[in-house]
């Protein structure tokens, strides 16, 4: 008997402040990477989908971004705002 499925992983890449397209507030937005991995006998083998989203912390609106945009946003977060506190990227496995 073969048991297979998928498992989702959520990585928080950066926190950025920009004006939200949804609520119009200059709010903090989290940049997250969502990876879905194929699992065999509950062992994650390889990623089958990778998505990037930003989420407004004010209104909760999510916006999909491309991998390229995500890289740019990360670079912006790392260098653009000097002195902004940055936590370590978090790895939070979640069930999809
Ligand atoms: Zn918003």
């Amino acid at each position: 008997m073969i048991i297979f499925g998928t498992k989702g992983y959520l990585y928080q890449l950066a926190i950025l402040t920009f004006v939200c397209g949804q609520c119009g507030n200059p709010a903090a937005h989290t940049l997250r990477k969502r990876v879905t991995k194929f699992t065999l006998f509950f062992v994650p083998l390889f990623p089958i989908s990778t998505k990037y989203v930003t989420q407004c912390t004010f209104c909760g609106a999510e916006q999909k971004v491309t991998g390229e945009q995500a890289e740019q946003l990360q670079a912006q977060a790392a260098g653009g705002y000097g002195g902004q506190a940055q936590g370590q990227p978090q790895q939070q496995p979640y069930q999809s």
Side-chain angles (χ1 to χ4, degrees):
M1 181 177 162
I2 295 171
I3 302 167
F4 63 91
T6 59
K7 190 171 186 186
Y9 293 85
L10 199 58
Y11 304 88
Q12 184 163 310
L13 302 177
I15 295 174
L16 301 118
T17 303
F18 57 87
V19 176
C20 174
Q22 185 72 28
C23 65
N25 282 291
H29 289 67
T30 54
L31 174 65
R32 292 198 185 113
K33 181 167 121 177
R34 199 172 282 171
V35 181
T36 305
K37 285 186 178 171
F38 178 82
T39 62
L40 190 64
F41 296 107
F42 309 108
V43 178
L45 289 182
F46 53 87
I48 51 175
S49 105
T50 303
K51 285 174 190 164
Y52 296 90
V53 291
T54 60
Q55 186 178 29
C56 175
T57 57
F58 193 86
C59 70
E62 274 193 14
Q63 198 188 348
K64 283 178 191 162
V65 293
T66 64
E68 253 178 45
Q69 285 175 307
E71 268 181 33
Q72 284 173 5
L73 289 169
Q74 271 195 90
Q76 206 176 309
Y81 299 89
Q84 188 176 342
Q86 282 290 333
Q88 289 296 310
Q90 293 168 6
Q91 185 179 339
Q92 299 172 320
Y94 73 99
Q95 294 295 323
S96 58

